[in-house]
Amino acid sequence: MSERICNIYLFYKILNINIPEYIKLRIEQETFFLLNNLEYFKNSINNHIINNSRAIYFSGLMLNKKKFIVEAKKIFLSNYKILITQDGFL
């Protein structure tokens, strides 16, 4: 789901065309689903949570929803130190 949201964002952004309303509605539904089903596994953390935050952020940009952008930043900031090494690798 995260990859689909990101790919849709990039597709329409790069082609500089408007996103149809029915796709926006679907993206919003999927974003709410993601927010309620973040990908933590067995009380651990992995790179999926970064993908989730990226998709939620892109969704906020696509839909002009500041709430999604704020939530994406919170998710990222609360998890990136665990995932990214001091050398900058995931």
Side-chain angles (χ1 to χ4, degrees):
M1 188 174 299
S2 292
E3 286 299 312
R4 179 172 45 250
I5 291 171
C6 293
N7 289 339
I8 289 170
Y9 172 76
L10 292 172
F11 175 82
Y12 285 99
K13 187 73 170 172
I14 290 169
L15 293 177
N16 196 29
I17 55 178
N18 292 327
I19 303 169
E21 289 302 316
Y22 73 95
I23 292 179
K24 287 182 180 181
L25 178 60
R26 180 68 185 259
I27 294 298
E28 185 174 25
Q29 292 168 343
E30 290 185 2
T31 303
F32 280 120
F33 180 86
L34 268 179
L35 284 165
N36 291 306
N37 296 280
L38 295 172
E39 293 184 84
Y40 293 103
F41 293 99
K42 296 183 181 179
N43 299 323
S44 68
I45 193 167
N46 57 54
N47 67 330
H48 290 221
I49 196 67
I50 298 298
N51 292 336
N52 291 163
S53 67
R54 176 174 42 111
I56 295 164
Y57 186 84
F58 282 177
S59 180
L61 294 175
M62 271 190 284
L63 304 174
N64 198 27
K65 293 203 178 270
K66 187 173 182 174
K67 177 183 175 179
F68 289 167
I69 293 170
V70 169
E71 287 300 314
K73 287 180 181 179
K74 283 182 193 175
I75 294 164
F76 180 83
L77 292 172
S78 66
N79 292 288
Y80 84 95
K81 289 182 182 178
I82 299 168
L83 290 169
I84 299 174
T85 68
Q86 292 204 356
D87 295 334
F89 291 98
L90 275 174

